[in-house]
Amino acid sequence: MRIGELAVRAGTTTRTLRYYESRGLLPARRSGNGYRSYDESDLRLLRQIRTLQDFGFDLEETRPFVECLRAGHPEGDSCPASLAVYRRKLGELDALIGQLTGVRDTVARQLERAELARAELAAEAEVPGGPEPVCELGGDSW
């Protein structure tokens, strides 16, 4: 098949396919008339790349999976190098989840502190001569 048909079947653009070719992820075969020529195995490579990218893998991280398929394995993740990329990506995700959990905990504490301070100010404002509520952004005290 030609590049346009492959792009349509893979749900991408011809420009993207040429980029993958320039990065060595997609083989550059030419037919007798000079047009790029692709087959079903190329479509499989593209589907593997796109699936991994949808999961957040960068283009270079897809290389071991593509090489595994090119080597004739039935799945791109059945080779040791692919498994190593999975392990590394899981480590990165675990670290990010830890960071997000820390941020979430901080925001939850800030919300709890702010709600308590607001309630205290509202109670004091109901007392004749009580203070007017004042917002002080960025500080830990009200």
PDB file of all heavy atoms in Angstrom, residues 86-114:
ATOM      1  N   TYR A  86       8.587  -0.856  30.086  1.00  0.00           N
ATOM      2  CA  TYR A  86       7.389  -0.898  30.934  1.00  0.00           C
ATOM      3  C   TYR A  86       7.766  -0.633  32.397  1.00  0.00           C
ATOM      4  O   TYR A  86       7.118   0.146  33.082  1.00  0.00           O
ATOM      5  CB  TYR A  86       6.716  -2.268  30.858  1.00  0.00           C
ATOM      6  CG  TYR A  86       5.747  -2.482  29.725  1.00  0.00           C
ATOM      7  CD1 TYR A  86       5.514  -3.770  29.255  1.00  0.00           C
ATOM      8  CD2 TYR A  86       5.021  -1.446  29.143  1.00  0.00           C
ATOM      9  CE1 TYR A  86       4.609  -4.016  28.233  1.00  0.00           C
ATOM     10  CE2 TYR A  86       4.117  -1.683  28.113  1.00  0.00           C
ATOM     11  CZ  TYR A  86       3.910  -2.973  27.666  1.00  0.00           C
ATOM     12  OH  TYR A  86       3.004  -3.215  26.672  1.00  0.00           O
ATOM     13  N   ARG A  87       8.797  -1.311  32.871  1.00  0.00           N
ATOM     14  CA  ARG A  87       9.213  -1.140  34.276  1.00  0.00           C
ATOM     15  C   ARG A  87       9.630   0.307  34.559  1.00  0.00           C
ATOM     16  O   ARG A  87       9.255   0.883  35.586  1.00  0.00           O
ATOM     17  CB  ARG A  87      10.361  -2.090  34.606  1.00  0.00           C
ATOM     18  CG  ARG A  87       9.941  -3.527  34.769  1.00  0.00           C
ATOM     19  CD  ARG A  87      11.113  -4.422  35.231  1.00  0.00           C
ATOM     20  NE  ARG A  87      10.781  -5.807  35.005  1.00  0.00           N
ATOM     21  CZ  ARG A  87      11.153  -6.512  33.934  1.00  0.00           C
ATOM     22  NH1 ARG A  87      11.925  -5.969  33.009  1.00  0.00           N
ATOM     23  NH2 ARG A  87      10.792  -7.769  33.803  1.00  0.00           N
ATOM     24  N   ARG A  88      10.396   0.877  33.656  1.00  0.00           N
ATOM     25  CA  ARG A  88      10.846   2.257  33.825  1.00  0.00           C
ATOM     26  C   ARG A  88       9.648   3.220  33.814  1.00  0.00           C
ATOM     27  O   ARG A  88       9.561   4.131  34.631  1.00  0.00           O
ATOM     28  CB  ARG A  88      11.848   2.618  32.729  1.00  0.00           C
ATOM     29  CG  ARG A  88      12.515   3.960  32.921  1.00  0.00           C
ATOM     30  CD  ARG A  88      13.667   4.215  31.952  1.00  0.00           C
ATOM     31  NE  ARG A  88      13.341   4.015  30.553  1.00  0.00           N
ATOM     32  CZ  ARG A  88      13.807   3.009  29.795  1.00  0.00           C
ATOM     33  NH1 ARG A  88      14.621   2.108  30.286  1.00  0.00           N
ATOM     34  NH2 ARG A  88      13.453   2.909  28.516  1.00  0.00           N
ATOM     35  N   LYS A  89       8.713   2.991  32.913  1.00  0.00           N
ATOM     36  CA  LYS A  89       7.536   3.854  32.824  1.00  0.00           C
ATOM     37  C   LYS A  89       6.678   3.725  34.082  1.00  0.00           C
ATOM     38  O   LYS A  89       6.174   4.725  34.603  1.00  0.00           O
ATOM     39  CB  LYS A  89       6.718   3.502  31.578  1.00  0.00           C
ATOM     40  CG  LYS A  89       5.515   4.406  31.338  1.00  0.00           C
ATOM     41  CD  LYS A  89       5.853   5.863  31.246  1.00  0.00           C
ATOM     42  CE  LYS A  89       6.274   6.265  29.877  1.00  0.00           C
ATOM     43  NZ  LYS A  89       6.482   7.728  29.757  1.00  0.00           N
ATOM     44  N   LEU A  90       6.535   2.522  34.606  1.00  0.00           N
ATOM     45  CA  LEU A  90       5.786   2.346  35.852  1.00  0.00           C
ATOM     46  C   LEU A  90       6.458   3.094  37.001  1.00  0.00           C
ATOM     47  O   LEU A  90       5.778   3.704  37.836  1.00  0.00           O
ATOM     48  CB  LEU A  90       5.651   0.861  36.205  1.00  0.00           C
ATOM     49  CG  LEU A  90       4.514   0.128  35.514  1.00  0.00           C
ATOM     50  CD1 LEU A  90       4.550  -1.355  35.856  1.00  0.00           C
ATOM     51  CD2 LEU A  90       3.174   0.727  35.898  1.00  0.00           C
ATOM     52  N   GLY A  91       7.778   3.065  37.052  1.00  0.00           N
ATOM     53  CA  GLY A  91       8.497   3.817  38.076  1.00  0.00           C
ATOM     54  C   GLY A  91       8.232   5.309  37.960  1.00  0.00           C
ATOM     55  O   GLY A  91       8.014   5.992  38.971  1.00  0.00           O
ATOM     56  N   GLU A  92       8.249   5.819  36.736  1.00  0.00           N
ATOM     57  CA  GLU A  92       7.953   7.236  36.510  1.00  0.00           C
ATOM     58  C   GLU A  92       6.530   7.569  36.942  1.00  0.00           C
ATOM     59  O   GLU A  92       6.293   8.596  37.592  1.00  0.00           O
ATOM     60  CB  GLU A  92       8.124   7.589  35.028  1.00  0.00           C
ATOM     61  CG  GLU A  92       9.550   7.573  34.528  1.00  0.00           C
ATOM     62  CD  GLU A  92       9.642   7.758  33.022  1.00  0.00           C
ATOM     63  OE1 GLU A  92       8.620   8.111  32.371  1.00  0.00           O
ATOM     64  OE2 GLU A  92      10.734   7.541  32.479  1.00  0.00           O
ATOM     65  N   LEU A  93       5.590   6.707  36.586  1.00  0.00           N
ATOM     66  CA  LEU A  93       4.192   6.951  36.955  1.00  0.00           C
ATOM     67  C   LEU A  93       4.010   6.898  38.467  1.00  0.00           C
ATOM     68  O   LEU A  93       3.286   7.727  39.039  1.00  0.00           O
ATOM     69  CB  LEU A  93       3.285   5.928  36.265  1.00  0.00           C
ATOM     70  CG  LEU A  93       3.163   6.082  34.750  1.00  0.00           C
ATOM     71  CD1 LEU A  93       2.446   4.889  34.140  1.00  0.00           C
ATOM     72  CD2 LEU A  93       2.468   7.384  34.394  1.00  0.00           C
ATOM     73  N   ASP A  94       4.658   5.942  39.123  1.00  0.00           N
ATOM     74  CA  ASP A  94       4.570   5.863  40.587  1.00  0.00           C
ATOM     75  C   ASP A  94       5.108   7.127  41.234  1.00  0.00           C
ATOM     76  O   ASP A  94       4.534   7.635  42.204  1.00  0.00           O
ATOM     77  CB  ASP A  94       5.322   4.637  41.105  1.00  0.00           C
ATOM     78  CG  ASP A  94       4.607   3.323  40.801  1.00  0.00           C
ATOM     79  OD1 ASP A  94       3.398   3.362  40.491  1.00  0.00           O
ATOM     80  OD2 ASP A  94       5.272   2.274  40.856  1.00  0.00           O
ATOM     81  N   ALA A  95       6.217   7.652  40.708  1.00  0.00           N
ATOM     82  CA  ALA A  95       6.783   8.894  41.249  1.00  0.00           C
ATOM     83  C   ALA A  95       5.816  10.056  41.057  1.00  0.00           C
ATOM     84  O   ALA A  95       5.616  10.874  41.970  1.00  0.00           O
ATOM     85  CB  ALA A  95       8.130   9.184  40.596  1.00  0.00           C
ATOM     86  N   LEU A  96       5.209  10.149  39.880  1.00  0.00           N
ATOM     87  CA  LEU A  96       4.253  11.222  39.615  1.00  0.00           C
ATOM     88  C   LEU A  96       3.017  11.101  40.509  1.00  0.00           C
ATOM     89  O   LEU A  96       2.510  12.105  41.017  1.00  0.00           O
ATOM     90  CB  LEU A  96       3.830  11.218  38.143  1.00  0.00           C
ATOM     91  CG  LEU A  96       4.884  11.686  37.151  1.00  0.00           C
ATOM     92  CD1 LEU A  96       4.415  11.437  35.721  1.00  0.00           C
ATOM     93  CD2 LEU A  96       5.211  13.146  37.365  1.00  0.00           C
ATOM     94  N   ILE A  97       2.552   9.879  40.692  1.00  0.00           N
ATOM     95  CA  ILE A  97       1.401   9.664  41.570  1.00  0.00           C
ATOM     96  C   ILE A  97       1.746  10.091  42.995  1.00  0.00           C
ATOM     97  O   ILE A  97       0.941  10.730  43.682  1.00  0.00           O
ATOM     98  CB  ILE A  97       0.939   8.192  41.512  1.00  0.00           C
ATOM     99  CG1 ILE A  97       0.288   7.906  40.151  1.00  0.00           C
ATOM    100  CG2 ILE A  97      -0.028   7.874  42.653  1.00  0.00           C
ATOM    101  CD1 ILE A  97       0.060   6.436  39.863  1.00  0.00           C
ATOM    102  N   GLY A  98       2.958   9.785  43.441  1.00  0.00           N
ATOM    103  CA  GLY A  98       3.402  10.213  44.765  1.00  0.00           C
ATOM    104  C   GLY A  98       3.424  11.731  44.884  1.00  0.00           C
ATOM    105  O   GLY A  98       2.978  12.293  45.891  1.00  0.00           O
ATOM    106  N   GLN A  99       3.939  12.399  43.852  1.00  0.00           N
ATOM    107  CA  GLN A  99       3.967  13.865  43.867  1.00  0.00           C
ATOM    108  C   GLN A  99       2.558  14.444  43.887  1.00  0.00           C
ATOM    109  O   GLN A  99       2.263  15.376  44.644  1.00  0.00           O
ATOM    110  CB  GLN A  99       4.729  14.394  42.657  1.00  0.00           C
ATOM    111  CG  GLN A  99       6.211  14.135  42.706  1.00  0.00           C
ATOM    112  CD  GLN A  99       6.904  14.531  41.404  1.00  0.00           C
ATOM    113  OE1 GLN A  99       6.270  14.877  40.416  1.00  0.00           O
ATOM    114  NE2 GLN A  99       8.229  14.455  41.406  1.00  0.00           N
ATOM    115  N   LEU A 100       1.679  13.898  43.057  1.00  0.00           N
ATOM    116  CA  LEU A 100       0.298  14.386  43.013  1.00  0.00           C
ATOM    117  C   LEU A 100      -0.420  14.136  44.331  1.00  0.00           C
ATOM    118  O   LEU A 100      -1.206  14.976  44.782  1.00  0.00           O
ATOM    119  CB  LEU A 100      -0.465  13.732  41.857  1.00  0.00           C
ATOM    120  CG  LEU A 100      -0.097  14.215  40.465  1.00  0.00           C
ATOM    121  CD1 LEU A 100      -0.788  13.373  39.405  1.00  0.00           C
ATOM    122  CD2 LEU A 100      -0.434  15.682  40.294  1.00  0.00           C
ATOM    123  N   THR A 101      -0.153  13.008  44.960  1.00  0.00           N
ATOM    124  CA  THR A 101      -0.756  12.716  46.256  1.00  0.00           C
ATOM    125  C   THR A 101      -0.288  13.735  47.290  1.00  0.00           C
ATOM    126  O   THR A 101      -1.086  14.227  48.097  1.00  0.00           O
ATOM    127  CB  THR A 101      -0.413  11.279  46.703  1.00  0.00           C
ATOM    128  OG1 THR A 101      -0.929  10.365  45.726  1.00  0.00           O
ATOM    129  CG2 THR A 101      -1.003  10.963  48.057  1.00  0.00           C
ATOM    130  N   GLY A 102       0.991  14.088  47.263  1.00  0.00           N
ATOM    131  CA  GLY A 102       1.507  15.107  48.171  1.00  0.00           C
ATOM    132  C   GLY A 102       0.848  16.453  47.947  1.00  0.00           C
ATOM    133  O   GLY A 102       0.470  17.145  48.901  1.00  0.00           O
ATOM    134  N   VAL A 103       0.688  16.842  46.697  1.00  0.00           N
ATOM    135  CA  VAL A 103       0.029  18.111  46.368  1.00  0.00           C
ATOM    136  C   VAL A 103      -1.426  18.070  46.821  1.00  0.00           C
ATOM    137  O   VAL A 103      -1.938  19.028  47.412  1.00  0.00           O
ATOM    138  CB  VAL A 103       0.126  18.414  44.852  1.00  0.00           C
ATOM    139  CG1 VAL A 103      -0.764  19.584  44.462  1.00  0.00           C
ATOM    140  CG2 VAL A 103       1.572  18.680  44.466  1.00  0.00           C
ATOM    141  N   ARG A 104      -2.094  16.952  46.574  1.00  0.00           N
ATOM    142  CA  ARG A 104      -3.490  16.817  46.984  1.00  0.00           C
ATOM    143  C   ARG A 104      -3.628  16.958  48.490  1.00  0.00           C
ATOM    144  O   ARG A 104      -4.530  17.641  48.994  1.00  0.00           O
ATOM    145  CB  ARG A 104      -4.050  15.471  46.532  1.00  0.00           C
ATOM    146  CG  ARG A 104      -5.543  15.364  46.790  1.00  0.00           C
ATOM    147  CD  ARG A 104      -6.028  13.930  46.887  1.00  0.00           C
ATOM    148  NE  ARG A 104      -7.446  13.888  47.111  1.00  0.00           N
ATOM    149  CZ  ARG A 104      -8.035  14.171  48.270  1.00  0.00           C
ATOM    150  NH1 ARG A 104      -7.324  14.530  49.310  1.00  0.00           N
ATOM    151  NH2 ARG A 104      -9.347  14.112  48.396  1.00  0.00           N
ATOM    152  N   ASP A 105      -2.742  16.307  49.237  1.00  0.00           N
ATOM    153  CA  ASP A 105      -2.779  16.387  50.703  1.00  0.00           C
ATOM    154  C   ASP A 105      -2.578  17.828  51.168  1.00  0.00           C
ATOM    155  O   ASP A 105      -3.250  18.289  52.097  1.00  0.00           O
ATOM    156  CB  ASP A 105      -1.721  15.472  51.318  1.00  0.00           C
ATOM    157  CG  ASP A 105      -2.028  13.994  51.119  1.00  0.00           C
ATOM    158  OD1 ASP A 105      -3.167  13.652  50.730  1.00  0.00           O
ATOM    159  OD2 ASP A 105      -1.103  13.181  51.343  1.00  0.00           O
ATOM    160  N   THR A 106      -1.665  18.544  50.539  1.00  0.00           N
ATOM    161  CA  THR A 106      -1.414  19.946  50.902  1.00  0.00           C
ATOM    162  C   THR A 106      -2.642  20.800  50.628  1.00  0.00           C
ATOM    163  O   THR A 106      -3.038  21.623  51.468  1.00  0.00           O
ATOM    164  CB  THR A 106      -0.201  20.494  50.125  1.00  0.00           C
ATOM    165  OG1 THR A 106       0.942  19.701  50.473  1.00  0.00           O
ATOM    166  CG2 THR A 106       0.064  21.950  50.434  1.00  0.00           C
ATOM    167  N   VAL A 107      -3.258  20.614  49.474  1.00  0.00           N
ATOM    168  CA  VAL A 107      -4.455  21.385  49.133  1.00  0.00           C
ATOM    169  C   VAL A 107      -5.590  21.054  50.109  1.00  0.00           C
ATOM    170  O   VAL A 107      -6.317  21.953  50.556  1.00  0.00           O
ATOM    171  CB  VAL A 107      -4.874  21.139  47.667  1.00  0.00           C
ATOM    172  CG1 VAL A 107      -6.239  21.737  47.372  1.00  0.00           C
ATOM    173  CG2 VAL A 107      -3.827  21.714  46.718  1.00  0.00           C
ATOM    174  N   ALA A 108      -5.744  19.795  50.468  1.00  0.00           N
ATOM    175  CA  ALA A 108      -6.791  19.402  51.422  1.00  0.00           C
ATOM    176  C   ALA A 108      -6.563  20.069  52.782  1.00  0.00           C
ATOM    177  O   ALA A 108      -7.517  20.548  53.409  1.00  0.00           O
ATOM    178  CB  ALA A 108      -6.829  17.882  51.563  1.00  0.00           C
ATOM    179  N   ARG A 109      -5.304  20.118  53.241  1.00  0.00           N
ATOM    180  CA  ARG A 109      -4.998  20.792  54.519  1.00  0.00           C
ATOM    181  C   ARG A 109      -5.289  22.281  54.418  1.00  0.00           C
ATOM    182  O   ARG A 109      -5.833  22.890  55.361  1.00  0.00           O
ATOM    183  CB  ARG A 109      -3.541  20.553  54.914  1.00  0.00           C
ATOM    184  CG  ARG A 109      -3.280  19.159  55.465  1.00  0.00           C
ATOM    185  CD  ARG A 109      -1.896  19.037  56.104  1.00  0.00           C
ATOM    186  NE  ARG A 109      -0.803  19.433  55.223  1.00  0.00           N
ATOM    187  CZ  ARG A 109      -0.178  18.627  54.361  1.00  0.00           C
ATOM    188  NH1 ARG A 109      -0.553  17.364  54.257  1.00  0.00           N
ATOM    189  NH2 ARG A 109       0.808  19.079  53.613  1.00  0.00           N
ATOM    190  N   GLN A 110      -4.919  22.894  53.304  1.00  0.00           N
ATOM    191  CA  GLN A 110      -5.183  24.322  53.110  1.00  0.00           C
ATOM    192  C   GLN A 110      -6.681  24.604  53.123  1.00  0.00           C
ATOM    193  O   GLN A 110      -7.131  25.576  53.724  1.00  0.00           O
ATOM    194  CB  GLN A 110      -4.571  24.808  51.797  1.00  0.00           C
ATOM    195  CG  GLN A 110      -3.066  24.941  51.802  1.00  0.00           C
ATOM    196  CD  GLN A 110      -2.606  26.043  52.726  1.00  0.00           C
ATOM    197  OE1 GLN A 110      -2.143  25.765  53.828  1.00  0.00           O
ATOM    198  NE2 GLN A 110      -2.737  27.279  52.300  1.00  0.00           N
ATOM    199  N   LEU A 111      -7.455  23.757  52.468  1.00  0.00           N
ATOM    200  CA  LEU A 111      -8.904  23.926  52.438  1.00  0.00           C
ATOM    201  C   LEU A 111      -9.474  23.803  53.842  1.00  0.00           C
ATOM    202  O   LEU A 111     -10.295  24.623  54.265  1.00  0.00           O
ATOM    203  CB  LEU A 111      -9.543  22.891  51.502  1.00  0.00           C
ATOM    204  CG  LEU A 111     -11.082  22.870  51.494  1.00  0.00           C
ATOM    205  CD1 LEU A 111     -11.642  24.219  51.036  1.00  0.00           C
ATOM    206  CD2 LEU A 111     -11.577  21.737  50.623  1.00  0.00           C
ATOM    207  N   GLU A 112      -9.046  22.795  54.570  1.00  0.00           N
ATOM    208  CA  GLU A 112      -9.532  22.594  55.939  1.00  0.00           C
ATOM    209  C   GLU A 112      -9.195  23.808  56.811  1.00  0.00           C
ATOM    210  O   GLU A 112     -10.031  24.316  57.562  1.00  0.00           O
ATOM    211  CB  GLU A 112      -8.903  21.328  56.531  1.00  0.00           C
ATOM    212  CG  GLU A 112      -9.416  20.975  57.903  1.00  0.00           C
ATOM    213  CD  GLU A 112      -8.773  19.704  58.427  1.00  0.00           C
ATOM    214  OE1 GLU A 112      -8.298  18.884  57.619  1.00  0.00           O
ATOM    215  OE2 GLU A 112      -8.752  19.547  59.662  1.00  0.00           O
ATOM    216  N   ARG A 113      -7.953  24.305  56.707  1.00  0.00           N
ATOM    217  CA  ARG A 113      -7.525  25.470  57.470  1.00  0.00           C
ATOM    218  C   ARG A 113      -8.346  26.696  57.085  1.00  0.00           C
ATOM    219  O   ARG A 113      -8.817  27.447  57.941  1.00  0.00           O
ATOM    220  CB  ARG A 113      -6.032  25.737  57.236  1.00  0.00           C
ATOM    221  CG  ARG A 113      -5.504  26.903  58.086  1.00  0.00           C
ATOM    222  CD  ARG A 113      -4.290  27.578  57.477  1.00  0.00           C
ATOM    223  NE  ARG A 113      -4.377  27.897  56.063  1.00  0.00           N
ATOM    224  CZ  ARG A 113      -5.036  28.943  55.549  1.00  0.00           C
ATOM    225  NH1 ARG A 113      -5.698  29.764  56.324  1.00  0.00           N
ATOM    226  NH2 ARG A 113      -5.033  29.150  54.246  1.00  0.00           N
ATOM    227  N   ALA A 114      -8.577  26.883  55.776  1.00  0.00           N
ATOM    228  CA  ALA A 114      -9.326  28.048  55.297  1.00  0.00           C
ATOM    229  C   ALA A 114     -10.782  27.997  55.753  1.00  0.00           C
ATOM    230  O   ALA A 114     -11.350  29.022  56.146  1.00  0.00           O
ATOM    231  CB  ALA A 114      -9.239  28.135  53.776  1.00  0.00           C
TER     232      ALA A 114
END
